[in-house]
Amino acid sequence: MRQIALFEQGIAPTPIEEMSGDYGKNRYYIKREDMIPFSFGGNKARKAAEFYREIKDCGADVVMTYGSNSSNHCRIIANMACAMGLDCHIISPEENRERLYNTRLVESFGAQIETCPVSKVSETIDRRVEAYRQEGRNPYFILGGGHGNPGTRACVNTYREIADYERRTGISFDYIFHASGTGTTQAGLVSGKLLEDARIKESGQPARWQKIVGISIARNEERGREVVRQSIKEYLGEKYPALYREEELIFTDFCCLGGYGKYTKEVRETIEKVMAGDGIPMDTTYVGKAFYGMGRYVEEHRITGKNILFLHTGGTPLFFDLIDRE
Ligand SMILES: *Cc1c(COP(=O)(O)O)cnc(C)c1O
């Protein structure tokens, strides 16, 4: 099947464009992870490409994962399993019942959705994995949001693409902003940067100044940072003690706006402004919220005259949920 070629060959670099809307006194660029040509794209498509290899290598015959009715990750995994001709089994919290675009897409890919109370998720997963094994099947379980080392590896590639762009164009980014959820994307970006900094140092070139800022969309700083740090540690392995620098991990929770999925009128206005100024759709749970958070961060830290890259991590179906709500 042709769509599988994307996973076999790896994902081509996603575009980086200068933005044309007026977002403040800096130059704003955007990296379009939402343009990955599979299942409406996004960082979950990038992560899925890494899980694809693991699933193939271990000869799994059923792909399992966890996520809510709005999960971009579940949509991508259900689409990938369908394209691979494998069964897909999704455990989902019964508290969220609304049929959103991602829910409908998951259904249309033929995935089986099993709901349970959110408090029973981990035992339901364990029970289901065991039941498949008893039947002689070989399930492959992916953590919610594509968290884990393959997901981190995928996002290290995102950073490599950014560094390649900087080398090619001579434009260097002073800041990189993005929405931070499970922390995998941030772990990948920061690991990528630590490796790139080490490479630059080894080659005798002068060190660069660049900050990666993760705008938390739900978690508090304490927990959020710890998860990102653990993921970096796992990814870098024995290189971790030499490469890791605490000041590289900027995870800020001032923009959670009351928790996962919550947003304000200002987020909504930001989304409209970006749509009008650049024709780029953003959702209220991740990307629009983080873009709004970036604006506030820039203001509070009085950042001007810098090159700022915003990572558009996807979530296009959620943009249409927003339109339906109004
Ligand atoms: C999952 C997701 C994120 C957060 O990525 P993490 O790797 O979980 O931190 C950001 N934006 C979109 C659109 C997502 O679907």
Side-chain angles (χ1 to χ4, degrees):
M1 231 191 259
R2 288 227 352 257
Q3 38 181 341
I4 287 302
L6 180 84
F7 295 112
E8 290 286 350
Q9 291 155 15
I11 286 162
T14 57
I16 295 179
E17 305 149 0
E18 185 172 352
M19 298 185 81
S20 48
D22 176 13
Y23 307 112
K25 299 189 192 80
N26 294 286
R27 277 170 168 287
Y28 288 90
Y29 295 80
I30 189 163
K31 181 164 174 64
R32 303 289 305 276
E33 296 287 271
D34 60 318
M35 302 273 279
I36 292 171
F38 183 78
S39 203
F40 300 99
N43 61 352
K44 303 309 183 303
R46 197 180 270 283
K47 295 183 198 181
E50 295 296 320
F51 285 105
Y52 169 81
R53 290 203 189 94
E54 310 251 325
I55 291 165
K56 250 186 68 175
D57 288 351
C58 74
D61 58 4
V62 49
V63 183
M64 299 181 65
T65 194
Y66 164 75
S68 75
N69 57 342
S70 65
S71 170
N72 296 311
H73 165 69
C74 290
R75 174 191 83 245
I76 301 267
I77 294 304
N79 196 345
M80 182 176 73
C82 172
M84 293 172 81
L86 302 178
D87 288 339
C88 183
H89 191 123
I90 287 169
I91 315 280
S92 198
E94 66 185 18
E95 286 80 357
N96 310 99
R97 290 204 172 276
E98 207 183 338
R99 256 178 105 229
L100 303 171
Y101 283 110
N102 278 333
T103 332
R104 293 196 230 168
L105 285 161
V106 166
E107 288 167 10
S108 74
F109 297 129
Q112 186 182 342
I113 305 175
E114 177 178 8
T115 58
C116 69
V118 71
S119 58
K120 295 239 157 63
V121 164
S122 90
E123 65 184 84
T124 306
I125 291 168
D126 291 348
R127 188 153 18 87
R128 194 53 66 189
V129 167
E130 195 42 44
Y132 275 122
R133 293 210 175 110
Q134 292 288 330
E135 288 170 29
R137 313 262 324 246
N138 183 9
Y140 184 96
F141 181 76
I142 304 173
L143 286 175
H147 190 61
N149 223 22
T152 306
R153 200 187 315 135
C155 299
V156 170
N157 292 336
T158 308
Y159 190 83
R160 289 205 180 110
E161 291 178 14
I162 296 169
D164 283 346
Y165 177 90
E166 291 180 300
R167 268 193 293 274
R168 206 171 58 244
T169 61
I171 296 166
S172 52
F173 298 117
D174 303 296
Y175 289 90
I176 300 171
F177 285 89
H178 67 96
S180 208
T182 67
T184 319
T185 300
Q186 187 160 11
L189 294 175
V190 174
S191 299
K193 178 172 191 292
L194 293 170
L195 291 164
E196 175 70 6
D197 286 349
R199 195 193 61 77
I200 288 174
K201 195 170 169 193
E202 240 167 64
S203 68
Q205 291 165 269
R208 320 163 296 155
W209 193 95
Q210 181 180 73
K211 294 278 173 233
I212 298 170
V213 183
I215 307 281
S216 175
I217 52 87
R219 283 182 184 159
N220 67 29
E221 272 181 36
E222 200 185 343
R223 167 154 161 72
R225 289 175 70 82
E226 190 47 36
V227 176
V228 177
R229 193 188 293 108
Q230 282 307 324
S231 301
I232 295 172
K233 194 170 177 183
E234 189 184 342
Y235 177 76
L236 291 177
E238 60 191 26
K239 291 188 191 148
Y240 174 83
L243 294 189
Y244 184 71
R245 295 190 305 274
E246 188 64 28
E247 68 269 22
E248 298 293 338
L249 211 181
I250 307 173
F251 178 97
T252 164
D253 68 1
F254 74 92
C255 198
C256 293
L257 309 176
Y260 183 82
K262 300 274 185 0
Y263 62 97
T264 57
K265 183 167 102 313
E266 287 76 19
V267 172
R268 188 66 196 85
E269 286 164 1
T270 301
I271 291 171
E272 248 161 54
K273 192 169 177 186
V274 176
M275 196 64 203
D278 282 275
I280 298 172
M282 293 185 171
D283 73 291
T284 52
T285 303
Y286 298 103
V287 179
K289 191 165 168 174
F291 198 88
Y292 164 70
M294 171 176 76
R296 275 183 51 189
Y297 188 98
V298 162
E299 218 170 89
E300 274 159 35
H301 291 78
R302 300 176 201 282
I303 298 165
T304 56
K306 301 292 187 197
N307 289 332
I308 296 182
L309 178 70
F310 181 80
L311 189 67
H312 191 314
T313 40
T316 302
L318 300 177
F319 169 77
F320 291 101
D321 288 326
L322 171 67
I323 290 181
D324 275 1
R325 269 201 297 278
E326 295 180 346

